[in-house]
């Protein structure tokens, strides 16, 4: 059985302005189709405004689609809303979604009641999850005193309160520091081992590569492709960047002539940036720089937007 | 579910003084009403002077918290998550409002103390059982009416304006501020559709020594109106939630 199945899904919004009740139609999702196997961790990768959150909202039944169908564990999100709500745990990223004046334990017990867990089971489950996400020591502290990472772990505990087979994680590591994000990803690994179906939205390619079984790329409400994470890894290395200091014009020209170098540019601080556009070119460029005595070198991965630009703007993507 | 909602709201209200701010007006209103009644030589209306502020405080707290729950949940991003949970949102709202209405019963203590300490009047309750039952039924009805109003608050972001617009007609039609007999004749039948009119009459009657008549009818009316409010609230809220799910305005703050 498929954990999540989306076919021809569309969602449009009318924009309102001060003077007009109904403005132009904005298409947040267009003919989106997606199949997530039960037990799969599926990444939904796209820049801001791609339609990731809109899809999560439809799957969590808080937003109705304007066309197409969406099913969770075989249940239609429009006609079988009650069944879907029992199956889905939702973790929205960011600061919102918790009662900050209450304690972590009070939050979880309340959400347990909203998921119709009986009192003793609600208490047991809340305690279990607090331990699992490492918040037992702060269980009776008000959420407003928590760090971003702690709030996000509590979000996850909230999403797991009813032990749902399907989890929607919408940008769960947004704003987290790297250590907290790594810990969070470790928990996602554990959830995968437990056999849960996870739909994880992110704009972080490294995160998608690290935790997902497959990744669907989405932009402006349209699915571009579904790829295995190793493809992301290839793109990350393929479209990497090298920043170096102490590179004179002659050396820069030499490096620019290397096969697979996309572009070179001088930064405002006097350093240079070399953009890589093909596999293996980074190693050759680094060898040139080191051989010329340049030791201040930094490599970095491209942003999602840069990869999109390369793939869609440059060569087109195999959809 | 109701108990969990009550417990949650009691914890929340402990840290949200705004939920119970109406309690601050009770001593002042009681003092004003008592001063007017006593200086007019209308000792027979002392019951009005103490019951009025109590019912006003409890009902305004119910309406305020209904609006506040929707507004603060929307702002905190929890409204969407509550809608996405399997629990019936009407039950959740009703339980949360009921908790605040229960806190509103502290207004009784305030009104009684003002009468005693400020005016030297010890207000006795000869029919304590009737008083308690009618007060409890009124609390359920207040929570019901607030639940009905909450559906309006989901639909709009101008909840505060609606709260004010709803509360004063309720007080007037409910005979809380002035006795219903003082209202224009054409308006008086309408007041019987407001649970507060039945509550106020019976609560005041239970303060007088003579036997209270019409308790069963009054109680039935209050409970029927409470039940009708919850039912209408459920239907209306279901419609409103479907509408905001459709137009995508549920999370808009």
């Amino acid at each position: 059985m498929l954990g999540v199945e989306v076919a021809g899904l569309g969602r449009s919004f009318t924009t309102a302005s001060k003077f007009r009740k109904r403005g132009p139609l904005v298409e947040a999702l267009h003919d989106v189709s997606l199949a997530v196997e039960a037990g799969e961790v599926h990444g939904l990768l796209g820049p801001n405004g791609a339609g990731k959150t809109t899809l999560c909202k439809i799957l969590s039944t808080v937003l109705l689609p304007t066309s197409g169908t969406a099913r969770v564990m075989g249940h239609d999100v429009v006609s079988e809303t009650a069944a879907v709500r029992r199956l889905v745990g939702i973790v929205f990223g960011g600061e919102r979604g918790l009662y900050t004046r209450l304690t972590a334990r009070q939050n979880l017990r309340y959400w347990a009641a909203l998921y119709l867990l009986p009192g003793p089971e609600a208490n047991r489950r809340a305690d279990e999850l607090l331990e699992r996400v490492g918040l037992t020591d702060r269980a009776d502290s008000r959420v407003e005193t928590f760090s971003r990472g702690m709030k996000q772990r509590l979000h996850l505990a909230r999403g797991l309160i009813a032990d749902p087979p399907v989890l929607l994680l919408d940008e769960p590591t947004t704003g987290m520091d790297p250590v907290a994000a790594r810990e969070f990803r470790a928990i996602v690994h554990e959830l995968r081992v437990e056999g849960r179906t996870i739909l994880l939205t992110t704009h972080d390619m490294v995160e998608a590569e690290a935790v997902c079984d497959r990744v669907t790329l989405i932009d402006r409400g349209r699915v571009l492709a579904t790829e295995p994470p190793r493809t992301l890894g290839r793109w990350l290395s393929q479209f990497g960047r090298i920043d170096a200091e102490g590179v004179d014009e002659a050396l820069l020209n030499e490096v620019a002539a290397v096969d697979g170098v996309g572009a070179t540019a001088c930064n405002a601080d006097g350093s240079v940036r070399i953009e890589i556009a093909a596999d293996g070119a980074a190693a050759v460029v680094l060898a040139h720089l080191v051989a010329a005595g340049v030791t201040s070198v930094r490599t970095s991965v491209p942003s999602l937007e840069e990869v999109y630009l390369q793939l869609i703007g440059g060569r087109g993507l195999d959809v | 579910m109701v108990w969990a909602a009550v417990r949650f709201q009691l914890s929340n209200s402990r840290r949200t003084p705004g939920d119970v701010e109406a309690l601050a007006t009770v001593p002042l209103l009681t003092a004003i009403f008592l001063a007017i009644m006593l200086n007019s030589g209308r000792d027979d209306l002392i019951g009005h002077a103490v019951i009025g502020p109590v019912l006003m405080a409890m009902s305004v707290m119910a309406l305020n918290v209904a609006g506040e729950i929707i507004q603060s949940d929307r702002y905190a991003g929890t409204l969407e998550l509550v809608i996405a949970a399997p629990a019936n949102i009407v039950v959740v709202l009703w339980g949360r409002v009921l908790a605040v209405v229960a806190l509103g019963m502290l207004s009784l203590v305030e009104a009684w103390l003002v009468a005693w300490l400020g005016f030297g009047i010890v207000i006795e309750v000869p029919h304590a059982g009737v008083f308690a039952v009618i007060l409890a039924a009124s609390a359920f009805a207040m929570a019901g009416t607030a639940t009905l109003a909450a559906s309006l608050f989901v639909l709009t972001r101008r909840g505060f304006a609606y709260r004010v617009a709803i509360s004063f007609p309720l007080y007037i039609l409910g005979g809380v501020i002035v006795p219903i007999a003082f209202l224009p004749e054409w308006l008086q039948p309408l007041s019987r559709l407001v649970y507060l009119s039945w509550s106020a009459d019976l609560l005041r009657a239970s303060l007088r020594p003579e036997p209270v008549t019409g308790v069963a009818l009054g109680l039935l009316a209050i409970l029927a109106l409470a039940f009708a409010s919850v039912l209408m609230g459920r239907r209306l809220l279901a419609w409103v939630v479907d509408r905001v799910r459709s137009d995508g305005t549920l999370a808009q703050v």
Side-chain angles (χ1 to χ4, degrees):
Chain A
M1 181 191 280
L2 291 171
V4 173
E5 187 183 5
V6 171
L9 200 70
R11 172 69 217 194
S12 305
F13 293 95
T14 50
T15 51
S17 71
K18 194 175 177 183
F19 303 105
R20 280 196 308 182
K21 268 194 164 179
R22 286 192 173 273
L25 210 62
V26 174
E27 208 169 27
L29 291 177
H30 175 83
D31 195 24
V32 169
S33 295
L34 185 70
V36 181
E37 295 291 334
E40 178 185 349
V41 179
H42 195 100
L44 203 57
L45 184 66
N48 291 335
K52 307 183 298 289
T53 298
T54 302
L55 180 55
C56 281
K57 285 186 176 180
I58 290 172
L59 291 172
S60 61
T61 76
V62 296
L63 187 66
L64 293 171
T66 40
S67 61
T69 58
R71 293 179 168 274
V72 175
M73 304 290 281
H75 297 282
D76 188 272
V77 297
V78 177
S79 60
E80 297 173 88
T81 309
V84 172
R85 286 176 180 170
R86 281 191 288 270
L87 295 167
V88 175
I90 309 153
V91 180
F92 290 144
E95 297 278 327
R96 300 170 77 227
L98 295 167
Y99 294 97
T100 54
R101 286 175 181 160
L102 299 183
T103 67
R105 197 192 303 277
Q106 284 171 332
N107 265 276
L108 289 185
R109 285 182 177 174
Y110 179 58
W111 287 109
L114 288 174
Y115 278 83
L116 310 177
L117 298 190
E121 194 186 339
N123 294 347
R124 181 187 57 75
R125 187 86 185 129
D127 290 346
E128 257 176 34
L129 286 168
L130 285 166
E131 189 171 347
R132 176 166 198 177
V133 298
L135 289 174
T136 302
D137 292 345
R138 299 294 303 275
D140 297 310
S141 302
R142 284 194 219 178
V143 174
E144 63 194 359
T145 65
F146 284 12
S147 68
R148 186 82 180 242
M150 290 162 74
K151 281 180 187 165
Q152 206 54 49
R153 280 184 278 153
L154 184 59
H155 264 303
L156 183 61
R158 197 197 57 70
L160 288 168
I161 197 77
D163 201 12
V166 178
L167 264 179
L168 305 176
L169 308 181
D170 189 15
E171 308 255 5
T173 55
T174 301
M176 274 191 191
D177 64 61
V179 176
R182 198 172 57 215
E183 286 172 359
F184 194 89
R185 287 170 200 155
I187 296 176
V188 173
H189 274 296
E190 288 175 21
L191 296 172
R192 191 226 315 250
V193 171
E194 289 169 9
R196 294 178 209 273
T197 306
I198 299 173
L199 186 67
L200 172 106
T201 79
T202 182
H203 58 260
D204 182 343
M205 288 202 296
V206 176
E207 178 170 272
E209 187 196 3
V211 299
C212 298
D213 298 313
R214 284 189 306 153
V215 178
T216 292
L217 289 98
I218 184 169
D219 188 37
R220 294 177 196 171
R222 291 159 200 263
V223 168
L224 302 176
T226 296
E227 301 281 351
R230 65 176 174 277
T231 307
L232 298 182
R234 188 160 52 79
W235 288 341
L236 285 172
S237 60
Q238 186 176 333
F239 302 117
R241 300 176 296 210
I242 298 170
D243 290 294
E245 289 174 24
V247 177
D248 60 27
E249 200 177 336
L251 180 58
L252 189 60
N253 289 336
E254 186 186 324
V255 166
V258 171
D259 269 354
V261 169
T264 59
C266 292
N267 296 328
D269 61 359
S271 63
V272 297
R273 168 161 291 187
I274 301 145
E275 290 179 4
I276 305 300
D279 263 345
V284 179
V285 170
L286 287 170
H288 273 278
L289 293 174
V290 172
V294 175
T295 53
S296 180
V297 179
R298 186 164 58 86
T299 60
S300 56
V301 294
S303 69
L304 181 60
E305 285 78 4
E306 286 168 324
V307 171
Y308 268 40
L309 202 64
Q310 294 274 0
L311 293 172
I312 304 165
R315 300 184 287 127
L317 192 71
D318 184 23
V319 181
Chain B
M1 181 63 247
V2 174
W3 173 236
V6 168
R7 210 170 55 173
F8 170 85
Q9 188 59 42
L10 288 176
S11 304
N12 201 44
S13 292
R14 269 176 54 206
R15 287 152 187 161
T16 316
D19 286 357
V20 291
E21 70 185 4
L23 289 176
T25 64
V26 174
L28 303 172
L29 284 174
T30 310
I32 292 167
F33 289 169
L34 275 173
I36 293 170
M37 305 302 181
L38 293 171
N39 283 298
S40 311
R42 296 297 303 268
D43 292 15
D44 57 316
L45 294 179
I46 285 172
H48 282 75
V50 290
I51 294 299
V54 169
L55 289 178
M56 284 172 74
M58 288 171 67
S59 54
V60 81
M61 283 167 72
L63 279 176
N64 276 352
V65 82
E68 195 56 37
I69 288 169
I70 299 299
Q71 197 168 318
S72 61
D73 272 27
R74 185 174 252 154
Y75 186 75
T78 44
L79 186 60
E80 281 189 312
L81 296 169
V82 171
I83 300 281
N88 186 330
I89 188 172
V90 172
V91 178
V92 177
L93 274 172
W94 190 76
R96 288 184 66 177
V97 174
L98 191 63
V100 174
V101 173
L103 288 176
M105 289 184 189
L106 288 172
S107 59
L108 276 174
V109 179
E110 291 179 294
W112 257 244
L113 282 175
V114 167
W116 177 44
L117 298 174
F119 296 86
I121 301 167
V122 176
I123 297 173
E124 292 178 358
V125 190
H127 306 285
V130 172
F131 189 90
V133 168
I134 296 300
L135 193 66
S138 304
F140 284 114
M142 284 168 192
T145 306
T147 307
L148 177 60
S151 46
L152 199 63
F153 303 148
V154 174
L155 202 56
T156 176
R157 279 167 279 167
R158 292 187 290 273
F160 182 75
Y162 287 109
R163 277 182 257 169
V164 174
I166 292 168
S167 55
F168 274 87
L170 271 182
Y171 301 152
I172 292 168
L173 286 173
V176 170
I177 298 174
V178 289
I180 294 166
F182 292 7
L183 296 177
E185 262 183 44
W186 62 269
L187 205 55
Q188 290 179 20
L190 205 59
S191 72
R192 285 305 178 196
L193 294 175
V194 178
Y195 71 91
L196 277 175
S197 66
W198 300 92
S199 306
D201 279 355
L202 287 169
L203 289 173
R204 287 190 291 248
S206 65
L207 300 183
R208 292 191 289 266
E210 58 267 28
V212 184
T213 55
V215 176
L217 177 66
L219 183 61
L220 193 68
I222 295 167
L223 292 176
L225 288 166
F227 192 62
S229 300
V230 173
L231 273 187
M232 280 195 289
R234 186 184 168 129
R235 292 287 294 270
L236 192 59
L237 203 53
W239 177 79
V240 167
V241 167
D242 276 349
R243 187 176 151 170
V244 292
R245 284 170 68 214
S246 173
D247 61 22
T249 55
L250 182 58
Q252 282 182 4
V253 291

